[in-house]
């Protein structure tokens, strides 16, 4: 895969900053959406439209429990995810350095 085709050829690090901005923007969007879903389904769970024991109440309760338990389990496992991410980043850096040392004949990873 030739990374030069998909990244801008700027010599001042602008491509890296643009990529980081896009990644953090995507993570922020996902976080806000998750928070909004928790608020919406939390309000639906306690509404008078769903009486206890109905299918609507059970579905809303299940979704709320899945959202909150998913967020808490993600952050309890974040150490593992960050360790795996750091290993991937180190491998990528080593492969990029090896590619540059060899003269860039392959053009990418």
């Amino acid at each position: 895969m030739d990374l030069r085709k998909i990244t801008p050829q700027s010599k001042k690090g602008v491509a890296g900053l643009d990529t980081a901005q896009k990644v953090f923007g995507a993570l922020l969007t996902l976080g806000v959406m998750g928070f909004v879903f928790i608020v919406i389904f939390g309000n639906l769970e306690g509404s008078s439209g769903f009486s206890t024991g109905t299918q609507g109440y059970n579905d809303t309760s299940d979704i709320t429990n899945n959202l909150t338990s998913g967020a808490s389990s993600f952050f309890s496992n974040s150490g593992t995810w960050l360790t795996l991410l750091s290993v991937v980043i180190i491998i990528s850096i080593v492969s990029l350095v090896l590619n540059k040392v060899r003269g860039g004949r392959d053009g990418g990873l």
Side-chain angles (χ1 to χ4, degrees):
M1 178 178 181
D2 191 6
L3 294 177
R4 290 175 282 185
K5 291 180 181 177
I6 60 174
T7 57
Q9 296 299 313
S10 174
K11 301 294 182 191
K12 296 190 180 195
V14 175
L17 291 175
D18 288 342
T19 304
Q21 186 178 13
K22 289 177 185 176
V23 168
F24 286 119
L27 290 175
L28 179 66
T29 301
L30 288 174
V32 169
M33 285 175 50
F35 180 72
V36 166
F37 283 135
I38 289 173
V39 169
I40 289 172
F41 287 117
N43 288 336
L44 285 177
E45 186 177 14
S47 71
S48 61
F50 298 126
S51 55
T52 305
T54 62
Q55 186 66 35
Y57 176 82
N58 291 337
D59 291 343
T60 305
S61 178
D62 290 342
I63 290 172
T64 305
N65 290 336
N66 284 340
L67 284 171
T68 55
S69 65
S72 65
S73 68
F74 172 78
F75 288 111
S76 67
N77 294 326
S78 63
T80 303
W81 293 115
L82 292 175
T83 302
L84 290 173
L85 179 64
S86 65
V87 168
V88 168
I89 290 172
I90 290 170
I91 291 171
S92 298
I93 290 171
V94 168
S95 65
L96 287 173
V97 168
L98 287 175
N99 190 25
K100 290 293 182 182
V101 169
R102 289 182 187 159
R105 290 181 304 239
D106 299 331
L109 298 173

